[in-house]
Structures are given as structure tokens and as C-alpha cells.
């Protein structure tokens, strides 16, 4: 060994040792217990086993900061019976946020409630930031949701191939830059054609096409988790969201659809965005899946303490045509903020979070199930704070019939959320097409709401909240009689 090599080794050794000190097992255990105490009621779980699995540099760390993501496996033992899927209590959201786990990293959550002695196993992440010679725990490490699978198949032969070639020429002849309106028309028609083809193929194979939502969205991940179960005969369809889903269902292009309860109510009544369509008296729900609370987010250092404080500020309210956008406007009006009292910015959630981080908006409003992974991920880059809705506004918004109900986002649902947040929520509904028979609806009800499935481990963070006991909570439209009959039979059987 040369003197130069020895010298370099002596210089690097302290650095290597320092890197190895990032959250050893004892430190990790202490930090996780603090987070669990914040996320779940005292005495709910105890740590049964913890194994540190290494760490790596956080490539998404803000400029000038050094961060590392620590990976670990943890087993938690239930000290008492506990329902992680309760709509009004902390549960999966607390675990996901406290332990930095993706839904597929949670195994052992049982629909309908867990029993004392059950083990819940978690593949988690913890995020640490260097502060001088020390490493400090920050918001738990996030995860990247799996990209929705493509539904493209092998190129068809014969006339189908000829039609596709002709359509491709039309698409290539229209430039989005020079003819944006025509390009948008083509995209809408292609999306509608794609959905119609998938729906017909699914029904032909005795399956059920479910209009879900956009890629990486919660609706799509739920339907994918449902469809991955043994015996499933469901086909998830990528769509633009609940409003489009309701129109696909009405047009007979899908068998099932997911939508916000307040949007479904508007479609049923023929009001709001659906006024031109007229009432859809035949619209029926199989059941409520999980609550979608209104999130009002600001930067942690914002002076706003209430929604009313957002007067005159730039607020990201969602995109035109989205059910969330309409709900956001209702929330603002309930706080006596008219359209002229704010500067509305129309952005989807992902872009709105970036704009909030860059200071281009002052707040955002989104209707989304808890925990929202995009919000969790944003918390690792920017300290955010949830604003509560006023009790007066909640009373106004939840007055029947509205499709909204009073709700609280449980303490610990997001990292650094030390108090529960008063808000309103709407139920994510599973809706059925009129042509489905009573036997089909009954079978689907039992499949979706039956106990024993672990939809959380299959990729849906809201999967634990889907249970027969919750299926009538927040229903905004009439329930299909066959679904009600199936649920009553399940309750009588103790399921």
C-alpha cells in the first residue's frame, strides 16, 4: 500500500463511518415509535419486530441539502381489536404516513377489522437529513405509485388494422400546436372509442368494465386492486375522472363506474355540470367505497388560519370539468368567498402542488381520499398545513341533499399533522348500469364488500375502508335494491 493510498483511506474513513450512522436500528425504532404514537390511538399496536434494510441517497433532496432514505421491515402486533378501515378514525392513512409505506407495503390489514394478536407487516421508509454532524428525521420517505398498465394489445389484423392506419394518418395530420381544438377533439373521440371497445370486450367475456380514473389516481388503483383478486371479472378503464365516468355509464358504454357522491347527485338530478343532460332517474349505487375529504392546503408559514383568510389570494381549484373543482367552489362560497373574491388557478393536483412549492399559488383545494400519496410526497419537500373549514360552512355544505357530509381528517393522517382537521367529505360511489341484472348486482356487491380481501396490500390505500358496514354511509343517490338485499344478507350472516 502506498502512502498516497493510505492517506486517502484515512481521509475517507470518517466520512464512511458518518454515513453508516444514519439511523441505526435503535434510532430508527425510537423515531418510528414517536410517529406511531401520533398516528394511532395509544396502546393500539406494539412493535413486534424491526429489521433495518439499508439506505440510499435521496436524489430528490432540495438543493443544498443531503438526505438519505432508510429502508426497513417492521411487524406490528395488535394489542386490541381495531378497524383500520373506520371512516371516522385513524387507520391505514396513519400507518402509511407514519411509516413511509406504499399501500402494497402493508400486509395483514383485514377488511371489516383486525383482531387482537394479528400481525401487520410493513415495508417502510424513513427520511433523514444531515444537519452538521447529525442526521435528523424529517417527513417519512414517500413512494412512487405504480404506473397504470397499458391496455394496448398486439396489432390487429385485417380490417381493424386498416382502420387503425387510417386513424393514425388523421392524428398525424393534425398538430396540437397549430390546431389545438381539433387535436382535443381527436383525443376525446379516441378515448371514447377505446373505452367502448374495452367495455364491449369485457361484457362479451362475461366481465364488467369499470370506468375508473386517470393513471396514478386513487380510483384506478382501487379497481386494479379489486381486479387482481381471485375470481375477479372486472376490467379497469383509464378515464379522465368521475364526471366522464358518469357520462360513460349513462351512454351504456360501461357496466360500472366510480364517481364522487356529490357529482353523482348532480347527474341524478340533472343539475350543475349535468343540467344540459337532464335528470338520470335510473342512476343507482351499489354502495359507498370510502370517504373523499376536502383538503385545503397552504404552506406551513402562510398567515392564513381559516379558509376565509384566503380572500384575494391565488387558489388552485382543479381543472374544468372535474368534480373536485366544483366542490372547491362550493367550499369557498360557503365561506362567503365569491368568484371575484379570489384568484382562481385551474391546475390538476400534481401541478398545483408544484405551484404551491414555487410560490405561484397561495393555496389549493382538492377532494381526495386519505392518504393522498401526492400530498404525502410533497410534504417531504415543502412543509404544508391543512386548513379546517368553519363549523358554519360545514353546516351549510352538509345540509341534505348535497352529497357532502361533515368529516374529520384524523390526527397523523399526514406527517406533522398533530391535530384532526374539521372538513366535509363526499363518498366515492360504485355505480351500476341499468342493464345489469339483479343477480349480477348481488354478486358484484358480495365480491366488492365481502370480508377477507386485503385490498390495501394489493395497492389501494383506501382498500381497508371498503366494507359492508360502510356501504351505505354518505349515499347520495338511491341504492340498487339488489345491492341492499345482498348487504342485508351479509350483515345477517355476520360478514
Amino acid at each position: 500500500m502506498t502512502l498516497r493510498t493510505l492517506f486517502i483511506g484515512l481521509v475517507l474513513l470518517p466520512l464512511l463511518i458518518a454515513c453508516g450512522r444514519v439511523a441505526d436500528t435503535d434510532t430508527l425504532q425510537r423515531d418510528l415509535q414517536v410517529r406511531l404514537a401520533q398516528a394511532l390511538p395509544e396502546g393500539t399496536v406494539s412493535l413486534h419486530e424491526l429489521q433495518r434494510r439499508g439506505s440510499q441517497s435521496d436524489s430528490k433532496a432540495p438543493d443544498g441539502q443531503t438526505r438519505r432514505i432508510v429502508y426497513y421491515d417492521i411487524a406490528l402486533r395488535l394489542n386490541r381489536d381495531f378497524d383500520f378501515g373506520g371512516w371516522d378514525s385513524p387507520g391505514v392513512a396513519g400507518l402509511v404516513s407514519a411509516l413511509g409505506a406504499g399501500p402494497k407495503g402493508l400486509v395483514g390489514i383485514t377488511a371489516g377489522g383486525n383482531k387482537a394478536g394479528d400481525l401487520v407487516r410493513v415495508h417502510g421508509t424513513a427520511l433523514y437529513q444531515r444537519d452538521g454532524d447529525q442526521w435528523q428525521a424529517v417527513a417519512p420517505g414517500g413512494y412512487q405509485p405504480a404506473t397504470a398498465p397499458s391496455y394496448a394489445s398486439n396489432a390487429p389484423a385485417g380490417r381493424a388494422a386498416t382502420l387503425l392506419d387510417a386513424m393514425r394518418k388523421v392524428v398525424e395530420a393534425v398538430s396540437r400546436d397549430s390546431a389545438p381544438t381539433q387535436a382535443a377533439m381527436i383525443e376525446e373521440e379516441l378515448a371514447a372509442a377505446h373505452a367502448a371497445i374495452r367495455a364491449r370486450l369485457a361484457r362479451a367475456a362475461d366481465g364488467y368494465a369499470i370506468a375508473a380514473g386517470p393513471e396514478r389516481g386513487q380510483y384506478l388503483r382501487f379497481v386494479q386492486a379489486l381486479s387482481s383478486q381471485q375470481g375477479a371479472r372486472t376490467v379497469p378503464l383509464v378515464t379522465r375522472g368521475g364526471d366522464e365516468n358518469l357520462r360513460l355509464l349513462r351512454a351504456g358504454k360501461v357496466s360500472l363506474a366510480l364517481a364522487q357522491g356529490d357529482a353523482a347527485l348532480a347527474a341524478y338530478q340533472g343539475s350543475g355540470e349535468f343540467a344540459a343532460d337532464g335528470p338520470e332517474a335510473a342512476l343507482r349505487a351499489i354502495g359507498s367505497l370510502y370517504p373523499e375529504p376536502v383538503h385545503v392546503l397552504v404552506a406551513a408559514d402562510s398567515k392564513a388560519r381559516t379558509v376565509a383568510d384566503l380572500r384575494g389570494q391565488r387558489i388552485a381549484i382543479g381543472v374544468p370539468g372535474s368534480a373536485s373543482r366544483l366542490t372547491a367552489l362550493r367550499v369557498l362560497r360557503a365561506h362567503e368567498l365569491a368568484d371575484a373574491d379570489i384568484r382562481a388557478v385551474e391546475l390538476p393536483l400534481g401541478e398545483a402542488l408544484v405551484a404551491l412549492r414555487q410560490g405561484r399559488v397561495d393555496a389549493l383545494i382538492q377532494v381526495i381520499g386519505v392518504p393522498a400519496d401526492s400530498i404525502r410526497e410533497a410534504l417531504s419537500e415543502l412543509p404544508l398545513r391543512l386548513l379546517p373549514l368553519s363549523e358554519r360552512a360545514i353546516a351549510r355544505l352538509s345540509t341534505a341533499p348535497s352529497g357532502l357530509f361533515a368529516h374529520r381528517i384524523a390526527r397523523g393522517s399526514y406527517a406533522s399533522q398533530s391535530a384532526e382537521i374539521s372538513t366535509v367529505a363526499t363518498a366515492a360511489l360504485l355505480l351500476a348500469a341499468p342493464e345489469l341484472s339483479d343477480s349480477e348486482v348481488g354478486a358484484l356487491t358480495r365480491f366488492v364488500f365481502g370480508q377477507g380481501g386485503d385490498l390495501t396490500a394489493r395497492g389501494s390505500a383506501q382498500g381497508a375502508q371498503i366494507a359492508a358496514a360502510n356501504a351505505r354511509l354518505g349515499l347520495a343517490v338511491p341504492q340498487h335494491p339488489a345491492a341492499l338485499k345482498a348487504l342485508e344478507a351479509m350483515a345477517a350472516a355476520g360478514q
Side-chain angles (χ1 to χ4, degrees):
M1 179 183 295
T2 65
L3 289 176
R4 176 181 174 82
T5 303
L6 179 62
F7 175 76
I8 293 175
L10 291 173
V11 170
L12 291 179
L13 182 60
L15 297 177
L16 293 173
I17 293 174
C19 290
R21 292 173 181 165
V22 180
D24 58 22
T25 301
D26 290 342
T27 301
L28 183 62
Q29 178 174 326
R30 183 192 65 227
D31 292 340
L32 292 178
Q33 287 176 331
V34 171
R35 293 192 187 282
L36 286 169
Q38 182 187 49
L40 296 174
E42 184 178 359
T44 301
V45 298
S46 57
L47 197 154
H48 176 69
E49 183 180 344
L50 174 64
Q51 291 185 325
R52 190 181 184 280
R53 298 298 189 185
S55 69
Q56 72 173 28
S57 176
D58 179 16
S59 60
K60 298 174 64 177
D63 292 342
Q65 294 184 8
T66 300
R67 290 183 173 183
R68 291 191 72 81
I69 302 172
V70 176
Y71 299 91
Y72 63 89
D73 291 335
I74 189 172
L76 303 173
R77 184 181 296 278
L78 271 291
N79 297 326
R80 59 185 178 87
D81 293 355
F82 187 76
D83 184 3
F84 285 96
W87 281 29
D88 56 355
S89 63
V92 169
L95 285 182
V96 168
S97 294
L99 303 180
K104 289 186 178 181
L106 294 175
V107 178
I109 303 294
T110 302
N114 283 75
K115 301 296 184 182
D118 286 354
L119 287 181
V120 175
R121 300 186 182 276
V122 184
H123 303 293
T125 59
L127 188 60
Y128 287 83
Q129 179 176 312
R130 184 188 286 279
D131 183 8
D133 294 332
Q134 304 295 321
W135 289 93
Q136 300 294 331
V138 293
Y143 72 101
Q144 291 293 333
T147 302
S150 170
Y151 296 110
S153 60
N154 293 332
R159 187 165 180 265
T162 303
L163 287 172
L164 283 175
D165 287 338
M167 293 171 68
R168 188 176 295 108
K169 291 177 181 178
V170 173
V171 173
E172 292 173 350
V174 177
S175 167
R176 170 169 283 281
D177 295 332
S178 60
T181 302
Q182 290 87 338
M185 291 178 182
I186 291 172
E187 291 175 1
E188 290 176 3
E189 292 300 324
L190 287 175
H194 179 263
I197 292 169
R198 292 296 303 177
R200 291 189 64 180
L201 289 174
R203 289 300 298 273
D206 293 325
Y208 302 93
I210 304 183
E215 294 189 3
R216 300 184 177 88
Q218 291 180 345
Y219 282 2
L220 183 62
R221 286 204 292 280
F222 158 68
V223 179
Q224 288 173 329
L226 187 72
S227 302
S228 70
Q229 295 186 107
Q230 185 175 4
R233 292 187 297 164
T234 50
V235 179
L237 300 182
V238 177
T239 69
R240 286 188 291 271
D243 281 9
E244 181 184 14
N245 296 350
L246 287 162
R247 291 193 165 93
L248 288 171
L249 190 70
R250 184 167 188 168
K253 294 181 178 179
V254 294
S255 303
L256 302 163
L258 270 64
Q260 285 182 205
D262 53 346
L265 178 62
Y268 178 73
Q269 295 175 332
S271 60
E273 288 293 297
F274 298 91
D277 303 312
E280 188 179 355
L283 185 62
R284 294 293 182 270
I286 289 181
S288 298
L289 298 173
Y290 55 84
E292 297 186 279
V294 171
H295 292 61
V296 184
L297 279 164
V298 296
D301 59 359
S302 169
K303 295 181 180 179
R305 290 294 180 269
T306 68
V307 176
D309 293 338
L310 299 178
R311 184 180 300 274
Q313 298 195 22
R314 302 161 298 176
I315 306 174
I317 59 172
V319 294
S322 70
S324 181
R325 177 183 181 277
L326 298 176
T327 308
L329 292 173
R330 291 175 64 187
V331 167
L332 292 169
R333 290 164 187 158
H335 289 85
E336 301 181 354
L337 295 176
D339 294 356
D341 295 324
I342 64 164
R343 288 180 280 173
V345 182
E346 295 176 336
L347 292 172
L349 177 57
E351 294 179 23
L353 287 166
V354 173
L356 185 59
R357 183 171 66 245
Q358 296 175 345
R360 293 186 286 112
V361 299
D362 303 299
L364 68 85
I365 303 178
Q366 181 71 31
V367 181
I368 192 168
V370 175
D373 48 77
S374 51
I375 294 175
R376 287 181 54 247
E377 186 177 356
L379 281 167
S380 66
E381 302 178 16
L382 174 70
L384 301 176
R385 184 159 43 83
L386 284 163
L387 293 183
L389 275 59
S390 72
E391 293 302 320
R392 184 176 181 183
I394 290 173
R396 288 177 177 174
L397 291 165
S398 57
T399 300
S402 68
L404 298 171
F405 50 88
H407 189 75
R408 294 180 184 273
I409 301 176
R411 175 178 67 93
S413 294
Y414 296 102
S416 305
Q417 181 199 337
S418 58
E420 64 179 12
I421 300 296
S422 298
T423 184
V424 293
T426 187
L429 301 184
L430 178 62
L431 303 156
E435 66 267 17
L436 292 180
S437 67
D438 286 357
S439 60
E440 286 179 301
V441 171
L444 285 164
T445 303
R446 291 187 291 273
F447 177 67
V448 173
F449 294 101
Q451 288 188 15
D454 193 349
L455 294 176
T456 303
R458 295 178 183 273
S460 173
Q462 290 71 40
Q465 296 175 307
I466 300 167
N470 300 333
R472 302 196 69 195
L473 298 178
L475 275 181
V477 299
Q479 190 169 33
H480 197 291
L484 176 58
K485 183 178 180 180
L487 290 167
E488 289 177 340
M490 292 167 67
Q495 298 181 7

